[in-house]
Amino acid sequence: MTTIAVIFGASGGIGSAAKARLESDSGYDRVIALHRKSSPPLDLLDERKIRTCAEEVRQAEGEVRLLFDATGALTLGTARPEKSLRELDPEVLARSFAINAIGPALLMKHFLPLLPREGRSVFATLSARVGSIGDNRLGGWYGYRASKAALNQLVRTASIELARKNPEAICVALHPGTVRTSLTENFAKTGLDVQEPAVAAERLVDFVASLTPAQSGGFFDQLGRPIPW
């Protein structure tokens, strides 16, 4: 049986690198790349388009064994991550949640049912260490932190439902580390391990390949180390 990997956000820095990694050496027979300019286009803010993409994948010949979500946004237009409460803007907060939490939740709604009822399969979405409530020591970045924390809860909850349908299925949130992209270049601090997208993608894909059902519902960094909620 042909095995299929689907990658969301395949035109971004990490997404395009993960796509290349999956196509080069991952064990999947076919990689389907979805993004804003794919055919059909993927738009996290439009559930109708998400549903259309899912129907397209449903009609593909083979079994979907990997769903890799590389979507997400740190900066939104001219809005920068908040440094204090006085900078909170309800519209920016709502958009951050729409892209970083609600969008991935809708991906799970429409794509998790495509996973086989038997055998190992994985849904992995990119979260962020700053979404960890227990690890928050610096404050700030309200919208991004809160939306990623919400994503982590959505993943945890979906993993429980998924396990009832297929005990071998895996649903996890992953922190990719600091990756050298246009979105992070202004936020990388001295001393951080800033990775090239290809390195981050290789680490993530390799870790995803090693995941077991016992790790479903977890939150891990790119090296496979658990991150506190």
Side-chain angles (χ1 to χ4, degrees), residues 148-170:
K148 289 298 189 179
L151 172 61
N152 292 345
Q153 180 67 282
L154 289 163
V155 167
R156 179 75 171 186
T157 305
S159 72
I160 296 170
E161 181 177 348
L162 185 62
R164 296 188 185 120
K165 299 176 181 178
N166 179 1
E168 295 183 71
I170 300 163

Side-chain angles (χ1 to χ4, degrees), residues 2-199:
T2 299
T3 57
I4 297 172
V6 181
I7 180 165
F8 309 103
S11 61
I14 298 177
S16 58
K19 174 178 177 290
R21 177 70 175 84
L22 287 168
E23 289 176 334
S24 65
D25 181 25
S26 64
Y28 296 97
D29 300 307
R30 181 181 177 189
V31 177
I32 298 177
L34 296 173
H35 50 84
R36 282 173 291 185
K37 295 184 179 180
S38 62
S39 182
L42 177 70
D43 184 346
L44 292 185
L45 303 179
D46 188 334
E47 185 177 7
R48 180 182 58 83
K49 290 184 178 179
I50 293 174
R51 184 185 299 112
T52 297
C53 287
E55 286 302 318
E56 186 81 5
V57 173
R58 185 189 302 275
Q59 295 172 20
E61 183 177 346
E63 292 184 334
V64 178
R65 290 291 176 178
L66 173 63
L67 299 168
F68 188 94
D69 176 26
T71 65
L74 171 58
T75 56
L76 302 168
T78 58
R80 311 288 284 177
E82 311 93 343
K83 293 183 179 180
S84 71
L85 284 169
R86 65 176 176 272
E87 296 177 9
L88 292 182
D89 181 314
E91 292 185 5
V92 175
L93 283 172
R95 187 170 177 83
S96 184
F97 271 79
I99 293 174
N100 293 318
I102 298 172
L106 292 176
L107 292 179
M108 288 188 280
K109 173 184 176 180
H110 291 284
F111 282 88
L112 288 186
L114 304 185
L115 297 177
R117 291 293 186 121
E118 297 181 348
R120 184 182 183 276
S121 59
V122 180
F123 174 88
T125 185
L126 296 190
S127 184
R129 185 180 294 276
V130 297
S132 166
I133 296 173
D135 192 58
N136 186 356
R137 300 288 186 272
L138 298 176
W141 289 27
Y142 285 87
Y144 190 66
R145 284 185 186 275
S147 62
K148 289 298 189 179
L151 172 61
N152 292 345
Q153 180 67 282
L154 289 163
V155 167
R156 179 75 171 186
T157 305
S159 72
I160 296 170
E161 181 177 348
L162 185 62
R164 296 188 185 120
K165 299 176 181 178
N166 179 1
E168 295 183 71
I170 300 163
C171 184
V172 293
L174 303 178
H175 168 58
T178 303
V179 183
R180 195 182 306 282
T181 68
S182 59
L183 292 181
T184 61
E185 61 184 0
N186 294 324
F187 302 101
K189 298 180 180 179
T190 302
L192 286 179
D193 175 20
V194 181
Q195 313 159 90
E196 295 301 326
V199 173

Side-chain angles (χ1 to χ4, degrees), residues 174-175 203 207 210 215 219-227:
L174 303 178
H175 168 58
R203 289 174 172 175
F207 176 57
S210 73
Q215 294 170 295
F219 180 24
F220 305 94
D221 70 11
Q222 75 278 20
L223 299 177
R225 297 171 298 203
I227 299 175

